[in-house]
Amino acid sequence: MTADQSTTVTASGKDAQYPPGAQILVRDEVWLVRTTTRTDHDGARIEAVGASEFVRDREAVFFTELDRVELIDPRDTKLVRDDSPNFRRSRLFLEAVLRKTALPQSERGLALADQFLLDSLPYQQRPAELALSGRNLRPRLLIADVVGLGKTLEIGLTLAELIRRGRGERILVVTPQHVLEQFQHELWTRFAIPLIRLDSVGIERIQREIPAGRNPFTYFKRVIVSIDTLKNTDQYKHHLERINWDAVVIDESHNLINKGSLRNQLAQILAPRTDALILASATPHNGNARSFAELISLLDPAAIRDAENYRAEDIAHLFIRRTKVSPEVRDQMKGQWADRGPSQSVRCSATPAEEKIFEELAEVWLPADGRPSVSDVPLFPYTLLKSFLSSHAALKATVAARIKTLEKKDDVQGTAAELSALQRLRELTAGMTEADSAKFAALVEQLRTIGVGPKSDTRVVVFSERVQTLEWLRTVMPAALGFRAGKAADAAARVMHGGLSDEQQMQCVEDFGLADTPVRMLFTGDVASEGVNLHRQCHQLIHYDVPWSLIRIEQRNGRIDRYGQAHQPQFRALILTSEIEGAKDDTLVAERLLEREDEAHRALGTAEAVSGLYRAEAEEKSLIQDLLRGRTVDESLEAHNASSADDDAGMDDFLAGFFGSVGDGASAREEGGHGGGSVPQAHVPRLFTSTREFFDEALREVFPDAQDRLDLSMDPESGLISFRPPADLVHRMKALPLDYVREQRLRERLLVTLNRRLAEHSLQRARESSTSSWPEISLLTELHPVVEWLTDKVLVRLNRQEAPVITAGVDRATYLVQGIYSNALGRPTVVKWMAVTSDGAVDDDMVSLLRRAGVGPSMANPMQVHDTTRLGEAVPDVLLAAEAFLEEHREAWDEPLRGPIEQYKLRLGNWEQPTLAEGGSSLAGEHAKERLASLADSLLTTGRPMLRVLAVLAPAAS
């Protein structure tokens, strides 16, 4: 092979490659490649930053079918002298290229797990390990850990690893509206992953700012939006269908199961338009094998051959689930997460006014002697009962609503008996106040016992299913505890339920989690039972009324019993009792459900599979129906569990293994494919020993006058770095959460640190502040926008096609060459850092050679003048030697990728379609198989390597 046969470098061919860190020539200006993705019609989409004088630091996007994009020919590399102290400019340049180059697909280990503001817990790293393992064609998985284990942190770690691999530039996170800000907050403060919150107001604002017809989801690269906003597919469908994502996260994904629902339609739009797909849910199974198979098919359509009969091993590459009693979790949580206390039943003897209602219900609505109820709607008497067991206020509302419904009927005479009975209930509740409520008196006593009051910081969350109960308690409770009427009483108690807007719900959660806000009591409905963190300043929870569902009880308790809880969670439930014969008080259902949930949680780590129904609504409905049949709570639970096992006999071990006794012993871990032991760590070459060392030297190189130009101050004792951001950095801040930028006034001054303890302290202080929940000081991780900005500034210090010459401890000229193989999607499959001598010898461990050659911060720069023309003449032969070396070893390096891909294609060959979609055509099934097979082929290495000369090590003059 001659020099003329070396790597093609122009962009005219479809296989042209533009790796991050490479320089390209577009419109007669030089640009630095940040990311490259393949489009359907416009060739490669290249995001770049200006490197030459007139476009320096400007951001741009190019499409190779619309622009002439030239990848700089490595043979034309110009060797230049480096006159910086200690060859600082050269060392920084090499480190910047190492940092900007995406890790190859063949790298399965975690690269960033220890960089963030969270404990290093292997169990929380398992989802990222599984996503990168290659066991699935793409990084797609369902994280189904039970309530409280830290699914948001697991998602953050997984996204961070994808970003480091160049597979996380465009991210969409979809959550319920009440956890939108919480999720956004966690990903920025802990992982430095900025998400722009696009609630309905945010989307409207952006649409006012961007040109008419512009897709709002292209305005920002990483966004978070509520599923309630996006599920309006008529409004957003055409936007979503015109955009592809690197990664999509859907939280509380059990809501996607109902086929034909708006949420399901949304999932069907997003799933095929993203590379990585992360679903999260503590309750992902609704008891129906086909429904769960549909959820799994979003991740991998070929995973399940028979939607009615499949086993755990069929989805082990897509699914991870642990509980607090799983061995790995239990061992790692010692001393870091207090064991939950008992669920204490607080019995309350009904007052005389309440006994009259119990008597009326037992006589007229729920007679125990077999007489028919006054209502012709079988379940309505239990609706009345549950309302009353909540509060007289709730019962009043239920009675009024039912009277209104009956009065609208044409046959009023046919409902006369029920109307008359409802009127009697209305009269019995008409004059009732908190003085007539045994549970209210008990709640006051319990709150005083745990220390809630005007002179205490103790907080409590009180759950009720009924909005009327919540509003009533919020009104009367502060005064009963001694809070002064007016602002103090109003501030002490907050109420949260589904009738509030998403902004109001998020504000409730934020205020309750901040230590110096005056709120002491949060009265909330079950809108807060999924995904909401209430444990920051609280470890006391009271069930004012008890849901008739084990799953819902567990979800409620999980709001304070979760990773990060420093105190033992305490649970109480108010149990209203009656002396009336035949009365159905709280001892009938609520008290026994509390006991069963506590037993299941301590033995199995979850109560989800006890009933075999897997859905809170289904549990409650079946229990009421069984009560009508005369069954007890225990008989109902056992009957449905046995029935479920009979109905899905082929799936019994799957359900037991993944939704019952999860992680109970080593076998469960092995079956799930995410066994114990340490999580593999990635080999990430580094010239600098730490981000701190790189940051300090880069700042000195790029801004030698930083004290004046940036108003920079660095406190060596605390590690605080404070500076005024220049215009190009301010421009990048448009990707940061808008509230964070505004509240912390980041456009005026940035406070950052490389000291983890200082960053943790700042985050903790923010949680104790009513001013802002956003920390003043952020940790400079590898993903932090400030580090990325400074890295880009280092890269453009060298001009077009330049490589520095470094005087080092080598006996002959040694050329540092980057070699990258990519797949058809433009993602690197193999990355090699080579040191090639002028006579063709190749060492593929460039960093080790640099250390042996003495390249480091203590080296001297003798300012020796080397013959760059003579050194440059060897570049073409060096590139030929490097390419020959890469081709020689390509097969071996490709093997870790080829094996899993071939296994997937084999499984795909055995996949019979249609298996999930009723009425689907066999032709559609074949098209799906062809599409997946084509995707598998596109992940294999293709074409020739991209080569780049980075620097030359020259021996010192003798």
Side-chain angles (χ1 to χ4, degrees):
M1 182 184 296
T2 66
D4 292 337
Q5 295 173 301
S6 121
T7 308
T8 301
V9 292
T10 61
S12 56
K14 290 185 178 179
D15 290 331
Q17 300 161 354
Y18 312 94
Q23 290 187 336
I24 55 175
L25 185 64
V26 188
R27 303 175 191 176
D28 203 35
E29 296 292 344
V30 179
W31 305 80
L32 190 73
V33 176
R34 282 186 177 165
T35 62
T36 305
T37 54
R38 175 65 58 180
T39 67
D40 292 335
H41 305 292
D42 297 325
R45 181 184 188 276
I46 303 173
E47 294 187 25
V49 61
S52 54
E53 181 178 357
F54 291 108
V55 295
R56 192 177 300 277
D57 294 328
R58 287 180 55 187
E59 296 175 322
V61 176
F62 303 111
F63 296 88
T64 56
E65 292 297 320
L66 306 179
D67 285 290
R68 178 173 175 79
V69 181
E70 295 183 40
L71 187 66
I72 305 299
D73 190 334
R75 293 172 296 174
D76 297 333
T77 301
K78 179 183 178 182
L79 304 182
V80 297
R81 181 186 178 195
D82 180 0
D83 58 1
S84 64
N86 314 108
F87 290 105
R88 184 175 64 205
R89 188 176 307 130
S90 297
R91 292 185 294 105
L92 286 167
F93 172 74
L94 291 171
E95 176 72 9
V97 174
L98 288 168
R99 286 172 172 268
K100 295 294 287 188
T101 301
L103 295 180
Q105 286 187 179
S106 54
E107 178 54 77
R108 307 299 191 192
L110 273 57
L112 304 174
D114 296 328
Q115 289 200 14
F116 306 116
L117 283 186
L118 66 163
D119 299 321
S120 182
L121 299 174
Y123 92 80
Q124 290 184 343
Q125 299 169 11
R126 296 292 177 204
E129 177 190 9
L130 179 60
L132 302 174
S133 67
R135 299 177 62 206
N136 186 20
L137 194 62
R138 293 172 287 177
R140 298 164 83 92
L141 74 157
L142 169 60
I143 303 177
D145 286 345
V146 299
V147 174
L149 263 65
K151 287 186 289 294
T152 303
L153 302 182
E154 294 168 353
I155 291 169
L157 278 170
T158 304
L159 290 177
E161 291 294 335
L162 292 175
I163 291 170
R164 184 62 184 85
R165 286 156 174 77
R167 305 180 72 170
E169 285 302 303
R170 297 198 55 79
I171 296 174
L172 172 67
V173 176
V174 184
T175 74
Q177 61 184 16
H178 56 277
V179 297
L180 207 63
E181 185 169 2
Q182 173 183 295
F183 206 109
Q184 178 195 36
H185 189 275
E186 287 285 277
L187 259 66
W188 169 253
T189 58
R190 293 189 179 278
F191 301 98
I193 299 177
L195 300 173
I196 291 296
R197 194 169 76 235
L198 294 186
D199 48 22
S200 54
V201 175
I203 291 179
E204 289 177 6
R205 176 182 55 79
I206 290 173
Q207 288 180 324
R208 290 195 300 268
E209 296 176 359
I210 64 179
R214 175 81 179 271
N215 191 333
F217 298 108
T218 64
Y219 196 67
F220 294 109
K221 294 192 301 182
R222 296 170 183 166
V223 300
I224 183 169
V225 62
S226 82
I227 195 166
D228 304 282
T229 298
L230 270 196
K231 72 181 182 183
N232 185 352
T233 51
D234 289 339
Q235 182 176 357
Y236 299 115
K237 181 178 179 181
H238 68 288
H239 289 311
L240 295 173
E241 288 180 336
R242 293 163 52 199
I243 190 168
N244 290 318
W245 303 91
D246 290 320
V248 168
V249 176
I250 305 180
D251 194 20
E252 304 298 345
S253 55
H254 54 270
N255 295 316
L256 309 176
I257 286 179
N258 296 328
K259 198 170 184 63
S261 68
L262 291 177
R263 287 181 172 90
N264 182 265
Q265 292 175 31
L266 170 65
Q268 297 294 340
I269 291 173
L270 292 175
R273 290 173 174 82
T274 180
D275 177 44
L277 178 60
I278 304 172
L279 306 180
S281 172
T283 56
H285 200 289
N286 66 356
N288 181 279
R290 178 172 287 274
S291 293
F292 188 66
E294 289 174 1
L295 185 66
I296 292 298
S297 74
L298 295 172
L299 301 169
D300 181 0
I304 296 174
R305 295 183 61 187
D306 181 356
E308 302 286 357
N309 185 18
Y310 52 94
R311 295 186 178 274
E313 55 265 27
D314 296 330
I315 64 168
H317 61 299
L318 300 166
F319 190 88
I320 190 166
R321 178 173 173 84
R322 287 80 49 88
T323 76
K324 194 177 178 181
V325 302
S326 298
E328 185 176 46
V329 178
R330 183 188 61 230
D331 294 344
Q332 292 170 24
M333 282 293 100
K334 288 179 180 177
Q336 299 189 55
W337 183 357
D339 289 335
R340 63 185 268 180
S343 290
Q344 179 183 348
S345 293
V346 180
R347 290 197 171 192
C348 320
S349 298
T351 65
E354 289 172 329
E355 288 287 35
K356 290 180 180 179
I357 296 176
F358 270 124
E359 186 175 14
E360 179 73 11
L361 291 174
E363 177 66 24
V364 177
W365 296 91
L366 291 164
D369 57 7
R371 288 180 294 109
S373 170
V374 70
S375 177
D376 59 356
V377 179
L379 299 184
F380 180 68
Y382 277 97
T383 301
L384 278 177
L385 175 64
K386 290 196 69 187
S387 294
F388 172 57
L389 293 175
S390 179
S391 71
H392 63 276
L395 180 59
K396 283 181 183 179
T398 301
V399 168
R402 181 63 177 166
I403 290 175
K404 188 175 182 180
T405 298
L406 293 178
E407 287 177 344
K408 288 181 179 179
K409 287 189 173 183
D410 294 334
D411 183 17
V412 177
Q413 189 170 1
T415 60
E418 184 175 353
L419 277 168
S420 177
L422 288 167
Q423 292 291 353
R424 287 197 298 275
L425 284 175
R426 174 185 275 180
E427 293 168 4
L428 288 172
T429 60
M432 291 182 70
T433 68
E434 56 267 29
D436 298 302
S437 172
K439 288 171 71 173
F440 180 83
L443 179 60
V444 171
E445 181 182 353
Q446 291 299 314
L447 293 180
R448 286 174 175 164
T449 299
I450 64 179
V452 178
K455 297 181 180 180
S456 170
D457 293 332
T458 301
R459 301 191 181 197
V460 64
V461 55
V462 179
F463 271 98
S464 171
E465 292 187 307
R466 308 289 167 157
V467 172
Q468 298 80 14
T469 302
L470 295 170
E471 295 286 3
W472 167 65
L473 289 173
R474 191 267 304 264
T475 301
V476 298
M477 183 55 67
L481 290 175
F483 288 93
R484 294 178 59 184
K487 290 183 179 180
D490 292 341
R494 299 291 295 272
V495 67
M496 177 175 160
H497 52 71
L500 303 180
S501 70
D502 54 350
E503 292 181 351
Q504 290 172 319
Q505 290 180 35
M506 289 187 289
Q507 192 63 50
C508 283
V509 174
E510 181 176 1
D511 289 349
F512 192 68
L514 298 175
D516 67 352
T517 56
V519 61
R520 292 296 176 264
M521 296 168 283
L522 177 63
F523 298 104
T524 182
D526 288 321
V527 67
S529 67
E530 289 187 353
V532 178
N533 292 331
L534 300 178
H535 67 294
R536 301 295 184 196
Q537 311 296 333
C538 175
H539 64 281
Q540 302 282 357
L541 184 150
I542 296 177
H543 301 277
Y544 194 80
D545 51 51
V546 179
W548 287 10
S549 160
L550 296 172
I551 291 173
R552 190 69 77 201
I553 295 171
E554 181 175 80
Q555 288 174 333
R556 283 184 177 185
N557 290 346
R559 296 313 99 214
I560 66 168
D561 182 19
R562 55 199 304 109
Y563 171 70
Q565 175 60 268
H567 305 280
Q568 184 184 62
Q570 300 286 333
F571 307 105
R572 293 171 172 81
L574 305 183
I575 303 298
L576 187 62
T577 64
S578 172
E579 297 295 330
I580 302 297
E581 185 177 354
K584 292 176 169 46
D585 61 14
D586 272 325
T587 61
L588 176 72
V589 175
E591 193 167 52
R592 185 57 187 139
L593 285 178
L594 283 170
E595 294 169 354
R596 289 296 298 267
E597 187 275 340
D598 191 57
E599 292 166 3
H601 185 87
R602 295 182 188 282
L604 307 175
T606 177
E608 183 183 357
V610 171
S611 70
L613 295 171
Y614 304 98
R615 278 289 175 271
E617 297 81 4
E619 281 189 328
E620 180 172 342
K621 184 178 180 180
S622 69
L623 177 57
I624 292 175
Q625 290 173 337
D626 283 343
L627 291 173
L628 287 169
R629 299 185 187 105
R631 287 176 174 171
T632 66
V633 168
D634 290 317
E635 289 170 344
S636 175
L637 293 176
E638 290 160 8
H640 282 281
N641 200 306
S643 173
S644 176
D646 290 340
D647 292 342
D648 293 305
M651 301 207 31
D652 55 352
D653 67 333
F654 169 73
L655 296 177
F658 278 91
F659 298 96
S661 184
V662 186
D664 186 15
S667 60
R669 298 202 308 273
E670 292 164 2
E671 185 177 81
H674 34 82
S678 61
V679 177
Q681 302 299 302
H683 171 66
V684 183
R686 283 283 183 267
L687 185 57
F688 283 64
T689 59
S690 65
T691 297
R692 177 189 299 274
E693 182 186 357
F694 172 73
F695 182 87
D696 290 345
E697 290 213 41
L699 204 57
R700 283 195 294 271
E701 173 65 22
V702 177
F703 296 104
D705 56 348
Q707 280 189 310
D708 295 328
R709 186 173 171 186
L710 304 180
D711 190 20
L712 174 72
S713 66
M714 302 177 72
D715 186 338
E717 185 173 338
S718 69
L720 178 63
I721 303 168
S722 170
F723 67 98
R724 183 180 61 249
D728 58 329
L729 181 53
V730 169
H731 179 69
R732 294 188 184 214
M733 290 182 192
K734 69 179 183 179
L736 270 59
L738 300 180
D739 291 345
Y740 170 58
V741 174
R742 182 180 63 253
E743 291 176 14
Q744 295 301 330
R745 304 173 70 177
L746 299 186
R747 296 183 182 92
E748 301 172 26
R749 178 157 292 274
L750 282 176
L751 300 179
V752 296
T753 187
L754 291 147
N755 184 331
R756 183 186 300 269
R757 287 188 177 180
L758 178 61
E760 288 174 344
H761 179 68
S762 179
L763 179 58
Q764 182 61 36
R765 195 166 59 241
R767 292 187 181 130
E768 299 171 355
S769 168
S770 58
T771 305
S772 174
S773 63
W774 296 101
E776 291 181 300
I777 306 166
S778 58
L779 181 66
L780 289 176
T781 70
E782 188 171 331
L783 302 183
H784 197 286
V786 169
V787 176
E788 291 184 333
W789 162 75
L790 198 54
T791 304
D792 286 344
K793 302 288 280 186
V794 165
L795 285 171
V796 299
R797 297 288 285 172
L798 291 174
N799 294 321
R800 181 194 303 185
Q801 199 69 354
E802 289 184 345
V805 179
I806 306 170
T807 305
V810 293
D811 56 9
R812 50 187 164 170
T814 303
Y815 297 75
L816 308 183
V817 181
Q818 179 193 51
I820 298 178
Y821 281 111
S822 298
N823 59 28
L825 301 176
R827 301 192 188 108
T829 55
V830 176
V831 177
K832 289 297 173 182
W833 307 92
M834 297 170 284
V836 186
T837 61
S838 52
D839 59 0
V842 179
D843 183 338
D844 67 347
D845 192 346
M846 181 185 80
V847 172
S848 293
L849 183 136
L850 285 169
R851 292 199 174 100
R852 293 197 305 270
V855 177
S858 61
M859 71 186 303
N861 186 344
M863 299 297 180
Q864 181 174 342
V865 178
H866 297 281
D867 187 346
T868 55
T869 300
R870 181 178 61 80
L871 290 172
E873 290 173 351
V875 167
D877 289 335
V878 164
L879 292 171
L880 287 174
E883 183 167 7
F885 176 82
L886 293 174
E887 287 294 330
E888 178 184 355
H889 298 281
R890 171 175 170 171
E891 287 293 318
W893 291 331
D894 227 14
E895 184 57 35
L897 285 177
R898 190 183 307 108
I901 291 173
E902 292 303 321
Q903 289 177 11
Y904 183 86
K905 291 178 69 175
L906 181 64
R907 187 167 73 244
L908 189 62
N910 296 326
W911 178 45
E912 297 176 3
Q913 266 279 60
T915 58
L916 299 178
E918 294 181 5
S921 68
S922 59
L923 182 61
E926 287 304 313
H927 285 166
K929 289 179 68 170
E930 291 174 6
R931 178 171 49 82
L932 290 170
S934 176
L935 174 63
D937 289 335
S938 71
L939 300 180
L940 292 167
T941 298
T942 184
R944 297 167 66 183
M946 191 286 293
L947 299 173
R948 182 181 181 191
V949 178
L950 303 177
V952 178
L953 303 183
S958 56

